[in-house]
Amino acid sequence: MEKFNKTLLILAMIVSSNLITYGQFSAERYKEWSNTTGYAKTYVVDCNHPRASDQNLGSFDFPFATINKAAQRVKAGERVLIRAGVYREMIEPWYGGTGADKMISYEAMGGERVIVKGSRIFNTKWLQNMVFTDALPESEIPNTWSRKVWVSKLPENLFEKGYNPFTLPNILPNEHDWMPWSVLTIGKPPYNLKRGLLFQDGKRMTQLTNERDLTRIPGSYWVGKDSKSVHIHPFGSKDPNSSLFEIAVQSHLFKPQKVGLAYIQIKGITFEHCANGFLRTSTGAVTAFGGDHWIIEGNTIRHINSSGLEFGYFAFEIEDTNPLNVQPRKGDEKGGMIVRNNRIYDCGTAGIRSFTVVDGIIENNTICNCGWQDAENYWEVAGIKMLRNKNTLVRGNHIHHIQGGNGIWMDWDNQYSRVTKNIIHDIQTIQGGIFVEASKYPNLIDNNFLWNIDGHGIYGNDSDDLYVVHNLVANTTAPVVNAIVSTDRYLNGKKLTAENNTVKNNIFIDAAEPVVLQSATSTSDYNLFVSSKQPKMIHLSQLQKNGKETNSFELNAFASFNPDIYHFKLITESEIMKFPKLRVLDTDYYGRDLDHQMVYPGPFQLLSKNVEILLNEVPKN
């Protein structure tokens, strides 16, 4: 081993004078901007104020009772300040801002807890209609076949604007026509389940497909075949009439009335309880509805039937028959969205899903416990899923516990976009922790930390010029990086391929399978393979005999990660080798400058025989 290490060191010194480069790709192309508005007027909303009324003028002494009332008044250069309270309403802005110096802002007042809910309190009494003899009793209330099960009717006055989610499946038949890739899910749960959600004492209940399964699962509900009744097995198997029930009835929580409103800020608000559908576009609980130059920061989005947040240029699927869907749009795919410091969790499909993101910055968000619908096979599930990304930066997000979907999914015709410094762990998918799909322009995946990926680590389906560098990927159940042609599709008239992909200077720990590159034009080298378990799954010497990973290195080590405190540990008796610097990167995960010639593999330039670091704190030395 010592002789082998010296040989690698000599090789590294030889190539250090001719540093590896990536041509035209630039990591310094992402446009940040800020809200510079000096607000000319402030509208105040305070549902708990004794004089609150939507007939008021919206002052501190005479505030509005609803946020949506202020949303019909506020104009460019003005803001809405919202006092603490629970607001059961849909916010539907009529106006947008006109520039960074004349934005419209919707914001919680100074640390106060503002909660916007798409649910209504369900006050109807829960009943049991047991069958005591061999004849069914005559009753308007459906029969209950177990002492654990209760039933109630759904009052029509719960539903507004003709939207009753208990009559609507998650995907309507015509929506399958607009999403032909979802055809195999037709008629299958959860795609044919109802959109309505039910909460008992704040806890989301689980919808079942079969009434008879209720007895087996506390905290579950079943929607009657007539869609007019709901049957429950309450949490604790107790009399539900002593609990608070809330029923999600709204299709959205924040949605402009017009497509394309610009320069809006949403700050510090909690959004929850949305009964939205699975359609890829137009269904986000909080949606910019095709707008541009929004700042969405410091919010919480949770307990959502489908996707939590949407901010793409396209407000609808191209084929959608909605009269507001005017195609083609004439806005040059405006973009400029900033989404940062939000917490998004308990969304049934995606935390974020958006169709066409140009000059976007998505950073420092926490997205977790999404995909609970387990709906991977309609191909719209992820912590973050964005299509047609151009000059877009996805940085510093913490994404974990995603069921049946990718951690980050950059889908279709991505151009010069970058996924960097993200922490992604505990992902279960047939795809990848990070997935860049169907692209022919350069895109960069660097300085990410991936741990416990039940699937591929980084997946490059049908993509060219994908650069996977300085990442740490651990504990995968499929190839640690996979960049292949997997479909027979065309992009802009050209057949999709998997050419010129580069995988270098990464750390791979306990991967089930090595890097898979399909094309001879693609390269994987200068990577560190770490084994902390037996049996060892990857044998580097065998790969090198076959002409692969020629300058890569392997070692045995103890490796662990505690996500609760962001603690990563790597302990080894071997020296960790440095590799030639790649010109595409100047800093590591912590923002520290890289050496000009030789660098450690992976995201951290602090490697030694014994490494203990916190991913959420910059080390002092």
Side-chain angles (χ1 to χ4, degrees), residues 470 505 577-582 594-601 605:
H470 282 281
N505 287 20
M577 289 200 58
K578 291 186 175 183
F579 296 137
K581 180 184 180 295
L582 309 174
L594 299 180
D595 183 85
H596 293 299
Q597 291 190 334
M598 302 297 291
V599 295
Y600 284 115
Q605 292 302 301

Side-chain angles (χ1 to χ4, degrees), residues 178-407:
W178 303 336
M179 298 187 298
W181 53 88
S182 71
V183 64
L184 294 179
T185 69
I186 294 175
K188 296 179 176 63
Y191 314 97
N192 61 352
L193 291 180
K194 306 304 182 186
R195 303 177 183 185
L197 298 180
L198 191 62
F199 299 86
Q200 179 184 355
D201 295 327
K203 189 174 182 180
R204 177 176 53 80
M205 303 182 79
T206 299
Q207 185 180 171
L208 303 180
T209 60
N210 192 318
E211 178 186 10
R212 296 301 297 165
D213 288 335
L214 285 168
T215 60
R216 300 179 178 88
I217 306 175
S220 61
Y221 69 101
W222 175 75
V223 180
K225 293 181 180 179
D226 61 359
S227 296
K228 295 181 179 180
S229 62
V230 61
H231 304 235
I232 65 168
H233 180 174
F235 289 110
S237 300
K238 62 181 182 179
D239 184 343
N241 290 295
S242 61
S243 292
L244 171 66
F245 282 85
E246 297 168 282
I247 185 168
V249 298
Q250 292 179 194
S251 60
H252 299 83
L253 304 176
F254 191 108
K255 178 186 177 184
Q257 296 185 51
K258 297 180 285 188
V259 173
L261 296 187
Y263 292 99
I264 290 176
Q265 175 176 269
I266 307 174
K267 185 176 182 180
I269 302 172
T270 293
F271 297 93
E272 64 183 30
H273 297 181
C274 186
N276 48 354
F278 281 15
L279 186 63
R280 178 178 66 178
T281 307
S282 77
T283 54
V286 176
T287 175
F289 208 39
D292 64 273
H293 292 90
W294 287 35
I295 299 176
I296 303 170
E297 63 179 340
N299 304 287
T300 296
I301 302 173
R302 64 190 183 189
H303 310 321
I304 307 298
N305 185 60
S306 184
S307 63
L309 176 60
E310 180 178 343
F311 48 84
Y313 172 76
F314 283 96
F316 298 96
E317 292 298 316
I318 302 298
E319 299 84 0
D320 196 321
T321 56
N322 190 300
L324 294 177
N325 185 23
V326 178
Q327 297 293 341
R329 284 196 65 191
K330 298 178 181 179
D332 298 321
E333 304 181 336
K334 288 181 178 177
M337 308 298 271
I338 295 177
V339 179
R340 63 190 174 209
N341 301 325
N342 300 286
R343 180 169 172 79
I344 303 173
Y345 64 95
D346 197 39
C347 298
T349 59
I352 290 173
R353 188 167 62 224
S354 298
F355 184 6
T356 302
V357 180
V358 176
D359 295 329
I361 298 176
I362 297 85
E363 63 181 353
N364 301 329
N365 302 286
T366 297
I367 302 172
C368 60
N369 300 111
C370 292
W372 54 261
Q373 295 274 13
D374 204 4
E376 182 159 22
N377 287 105
Y378 95 113
W379 314 118
E380 300 300 339
V381 181
I384 297 174
K385 181 180 182 185
M386 303 186 300
L387 296 94
R388 302 183 69 241
N389 301 282
K390 183 176 181 181
N391 300 333
T392 288
L393 178 65
V394 183
R395 176 175 61 194
N397 301 284
H398 184 191
I399 301 171
H400 61 95
H401 292 94
I402 306 299
Q403 169 65 43
N406 306 277

